[in-house]
Amino acid sequence: MGERTTGEPGLRASLFPLTGPLRFLLLSSFLIPLGSFMVLPFMSVFLHERLGMGLGTVGVVLAAASLVQFSGGIVGGALADRIGLRRTMLWALAVRTAGFAGFLLALRWPPLAVGALVLTCCGAALYLPANKAYLVHGVDDERRPAFLSAGNAALNAGMAVGPLIAGPFVLSSPGWLFAAVTALFLAVTAGHARLPGTDGTRPTEPKETARPGLLTGVALLPFAANALAFYLYFHFQHFLAVYAVERASSAFYSLVLLLCFTLVIVVQPLASGLIRRMPYALALAVGFTGLAAGLAVLAAGTRTALLTGGALITLGDIVLFLKNDLEALRRSPRSDAVVFGQQRLAAGLGACASGVLGGQVYGLGERAGHPGWFWLLAAAQCLLLPPLLLTLRRRTARRPVPDGDHEGALTRDDTDGRIPGR
């Protein structure tokens, strides 16, 4: 067993003291999803009931927007690598602000709503890799999980609060709502303009005549594991609403989502150090087992099953999403922003596959009168598909770690050539 440092910092010691820019960035990580989720969760209702679009058209628009928002992160990472983190965040926020302003104009000319939605998703795709890279810029490897978890907690808090604030106004007073969100994004953009600049590239990397491709240096196993994790998780994200509302109510469905957001906010920062030390193979096993258990429990269809299943799925994803990001950072020679962008691409591919394939399977189960089968089939995939990752694990096996340390467990001297804090 590799020797562990007994004085490893706890969560509070890892995060504090925070500099002014990092405090603002964590606040922004709350405010940006707060504003976004005052609008985006209601898009299907707004487009259909307020603007009169057919449900088929609405489904296509939302699927395309989701793919852009996730997979476009790889472009955001590459842009940050080229022009820097702060400038990328500013461009991203400008694009997203224009998108929310476009919703105001769409009240008079409805076709603009589609373009506005695409703009907001493009802005999100550009912003997140640069945001996460800026958050961990100059932070040593032992403290990185705490900073990433704090950012995730702030993001989930904003996602939880936004719909609660906007629900009463999205159909009755959408103009005021869109104006308020646009003003919020203008303020956040102005704050980002005051952040100190950072270089998005590694100072020790050789200057090349040709820039590397978007997927150059991708960490294959974390990339594939992230795509699979998002594919399985988005069975829950895409189809729980229709399943839960029929068996409980829309209010109870909101309660399930609130529980999931709360677990991420509370548990992930507290567990971040443990997840960092956990061997990668064990983290994959724990995460996918949690997903399998939660999806299987959902098949019962009771209120207790909905709450328990949602909690188990969330706990599994707390481990998977954080560990995959940490492992990708450790294995890849590329800059942090590019790595986060590559991981967002994996997430987008997984979420898109879940929507396309999962929708067909859920429809079959619903027509057969047994939608619970959908969740059991998804749970079976959580147990059957991850072993395929073992083939990638063998192909990407890294050099041996002295003293028999576990694969995937980080040590102070085991950074695969990466500069600590980069």
Side-chain angles (χ1 to χ4, degrees):
M1 179 72 67
E3 183 180 357
R4 279 184 51 193
T5 304
T6 57
E8 182 172 317
L11 175 64
R12 184 176 181 84
S14 296
L15 284 175
F16 296 100
L18 283 173
T19 63
L22 287 181
R23 285 197 299 270
F24 173 78
L25 208 63
L26 287 174
L27 176 62
S28 298
S29 295
F30 169 76
L31 293 176
I32 289 172
L34 171 71
S36 299
F37 272 67
M38 289 171 66
V39 175
L40 298 183
F42 304 101
M43 270 297 100
S44 59
V45 178
F46 179 77
L47 293 175
H48 179 57
E49 295 188 11
R50 181 80 184 194
L51 301 185
M53 292 186 181
L55 285 176
T57 303
V58 170
V60 171
V61 169
L62 294 181
S66 297
L67 184 60
V68 168
Q69 180 167 342
F70 278 101
S71 299
I74 194 168
V75 178
L79 182 64
D81 208 27
R82 173 174 290 227
I83 70 173
L85 303 177
R86 184 177 67 91
R87 290 177 63 189
T88 300
M89 289 190 289
L90 284 172
W91 277 108
L93 288 170
V95 170
R96 210 163 191 193
T97 303
F100 286 112
F103 284 122
L104 272 173
L105 300 177
L107 295 174
R108 293 188 174 273
W109 193 39
L112 279 178
V114 175
L117 179 60
V118 170
L119 277 178
T120 62
C121 291
C122 287
L126 295 175
Y127 180 82
L128 191 60
N131 168 273
K132 294 174 79 171
Y134 196 106
L135 191 62
V136 298
H137 180 76
V139 176
D140 62 70
D141 288 326
E142 289 183 354
R143 301 175 67 203
R144 282 183 156 210
F147 278 79
L148 288 175
S149 296
N152 289 338
L155 183 143
N156 278 271
M159 291 166 63
V161 175
L164 298 177
I165 295 175
F169 309 108
V170 69
L171 292 179
S172 61
S173 305
W176 288 105
L177 177 64
F178 296 150
V181 173
T182 302
L184 174 63
F185 270 83
L186 284 171
V188 171
T189 303
H192 277 68
R194 298 178 61 86
L195 289 173
T198 63
D199 186 359
T201 60
R202 302 180 193 278
T204 59
E205 289 179 342
K207 300 298 182 180
E208 301 176 1
T209 56
R211 287 188 174 271
L214 294 179
L215 287 175
T216 300
V218 66
L220 186 58
L221 179 55
F223 183 91
N226 211 43
L228 181 58
F230 271 82
Y231 164 72
L232 294 168
Y233 170 74
F234 264 75
H235 283 68
F236 170 76
Q237 184 78 9
H238 282 313
F239 305 109
L240 181 66
V242 63
Y243 185 75
V245 170
E246 288 180 355
R247 285 155 184 78
S249 65
S250 58
F252 191 82
Y253 168 64
S254 299
L255 179 62
V256 174
L257 292 184
L258 184 61
L259 170 65
C260 295
F261 286 133
T262 301
L263 284 174
V264 176
I265 294 167
V266 174
V267 174
Q268 191 176 72
L270 294 175
S272 60
L274 175 62
I275 294 171
R276 184 192 71 83
R277 296 190 301 270
M278 189 180 294
Y280 191 37
L282 177 60
L284 293 178
V286 169
F288 284 117
T289 300
L291 276 179
L295 289 166
V297 168
L298 289 179
T302 65
R303 292 186 174 220
T304 300
L306 294 174
L307 286 170
T308 304
L312 288 171
I313 290 168
T314 302
L315 291 173
D317 283 322
I318 284 173
V319 176
L320 284 174
F321 294 164
L322 179 58
K323 189 63 175 181
N324 281 330
D325 276 355
L326 291 173
E327 191 70 7
L329 287 169
R330 188 183 67 83
R331 292 180 179 223
S332 176
R334 302 294 300 277
S335 69
D336 295 343
V338 170
V339 173
F340 286 128
Q342 291 171 343
Q343 290 297 95
R344 289 287 288 181
L345 172 61
L349 295 175
C352 184
S354 177
V356 173
L357 300 177
Q360 298 299 320
V361 175
Y362 190 91
L364 289 174
E366 192 174 54
R367 286 191 294 272
H370 298 285
W373 292 353
F374 169 80
W375 304 109
L376 293 176
L377 181 58
Q381 292 180 78
C382 292
L383 300 177
L384 296 176
L385 294 179
L388 297 178
L389 295 174
L390 293 177
T391 60
L392 292 178
R393 182 186 173 194
R394 285 192 292 267
R395 287 176 57 191
T396 60
R398 62 183 178 86
R399 56 180 173 79
V401 178
D403 300 325
D405 199 6
H406 291 296
E407 178 177 352
L410 296 176
T411 65
R412 189 177 300 274
D413 298 319
D414 178 28
T415 55
D416 280 346
R418 293 177 57 87
I419 302 169
R422 291 289 297 158

